Amino acid sequence: CRELLKKNNNAILLNGGNLYRAIVYSLMQKEPNIFKLRKLMKNIDIKKCMDDNKVELRMENRESVFYINGKLADEEELQSKASSLAVSIIGGIADNSKLFEYARGLIDELRKENNVIVSGRALMQIYPKQDYHLFITASLEERVKRKCIQYKEKEDIKAVKKNIKKRDFLQKLAGFYKIYPNTIKIDVTQCKSVEESTNKVLEYINIQTKV
């Protein structure tokens, strides 16, 4: 998404995944036990959690960033193994309806003057009138390899693979991996760099129109 942003001067990036991660991360500061948190979050309004925990989305340098209680959230923390698993669990049991409504309004507002690149799950549920719905995928082994690089080799490869498989199961269960009639599925397993993956994506879209 960031590479696409570089290639389109009139674009902005809304990282919806990190919005959800920031909310869940704020909840984990109060209840770090994921099993207890899972019981607490069943059918709870996640947008209310966002407001109560003072999670704020701001646009800086053409990209969304997130603040918790006025402090910039660290992306490495948001992308951690614990946060990733918690998001997959809570995303499937919380009430997301008002958060999705908030996101729709935000995208509508941003689209008035920009092409909007949105990264996240359940995007067709959130905003069905997309110009392009792209499902970027890769083989399990390649995803494990890239996630280990993202974690700066601090995590055991077997543990990372187990965690990804668990997340896949939870996200399929929640409907986050649904393929719609207008979904463009792009496999980037063989791509050797982010730029190469981006160029493959660009083969499917007209960058002059809204993303």
Side-chain angles (χ1 to χ4, degrees), residues 4-207:
L4 282 175
L5 193 64
K6 292 177 186 176
K7 295 177 183 294
N8 187 343
N9 292 331
N10 192 40
I12 55 176
L13 170 59
L14 180 59
N15 194 326
N18 270 4
L19 170 58
Y20 214 100
R21 287 171 182 270
I23 298 169
V24 172
Y25 182 78
S26 72
L27 293 168
M28 292 174 70
Q29 303 314 295
K30 297 179 178 179
E31 179 49 78
N33 187 306
I34 187 60
F35 299 105
K36 291 182 180 178
L37 190 59
R38 179 170 58 184
K39 289 181 180 179
L40 292 171
M41 290 304 299
K42 191 175 177 70
N43 298 320
I44 295 297
D45 180 358
I46 200 75
K47 178 61 168 66
K48 186 175 186 303
C49 294
M50 176 184 172
D51 296 336
D52 290 348
N53 290 308
K54 296 183 172 67
V55 177
E56 181 186 2
L57 182 157
R58 302 180 192 174
M59 299 303 298
E60 298 179 1
N61 299 318
R62 299 168 60 213
E63 183 175 348
S64 60
V65 293
F66 302 93
Y67 287 78
I68 303 172
N69 276 316
K71 182 180 178 182
L72 181 64
D74 180 78
E75 186 162 352
E76 193 169 324
E77 287 291 331
L78 298 184
Q79 295 287 342
S80 71
K81 183 172 70 173
S83 291
S84 296
L85 184 58
V87 166
S88 296
I89 292 171
I90 292 173
I93 62 172
D95 180 355
N96 300 311
S97 56
K98 290 184 179 176
L99 183 69
F100 287 2
E101 184 180 338
Y102 161 77
R104 275 192 293 276
L106 178 62
I107 294 169
D108 277 336
E109 189 62 31
L110 293 172
R111 286 188 78 178
K112 290 177 181 178
E113 296 185 0
N114 304 276
N115 290 330
V116 183
I117 301 166
V118 186
S119 171
R121 305 173 184 86
L123 293 181
M124 284 297 292
Q125 294 177 48
I126 297 168
Y127 203 87
K129 53 181 182 181
Q130 297 168 56
D131 293 291
Y132 299 97
H133 181 241
L134 308 173
F135 187 91
I136 314 298
T137 188
S139 69
L140 175 61
E141 296 304 323
E142 185 63 23
R143 290 163 60 211
V144 170
K145 174 184 167 185
R146 295 179 189 183
K147 184 60 74 171
C148 285
I149 292 171
Q150 183 181 357
Y151 289 154
K152 300 177 182 177
E153 312 296 340
K154 294 177 183 177
E155 298 285 347
D156 176 73
I157 189 168
K158 290 183 179 179
V160 171
K161 185 174 184 178
K162 182 179 179 181
N163 193 58
I164 287 178
K165 290 174 77 172
K166 186 183 293 186
R167 285 185 61 210
D168 280 351
F169 172 76
L170 291 168
Q171 295 186 156
K172 285 178 183 176
L173 200 64
F176 294 152
Y177 285 173
K178 183 177 178 179
I179 301 298
Y180 294 82
N182 62 330
T183 302
I184 302 171
K185 191 173 181 179
I186 304 173
D187 192 312
V188 295
T189 302
Q190 301 303 319
C191 296
K192 302 303 181 186
S193 66
V194 176
E195 185 172 3
E196 191 175 331
S197 296
T198 305
N199 288 335
K200 187 167 184 177
V201 169
L202 286 171
E203 293 173 7
Y204 293 87
I205 67 175
N206 176 2
I207 204 166

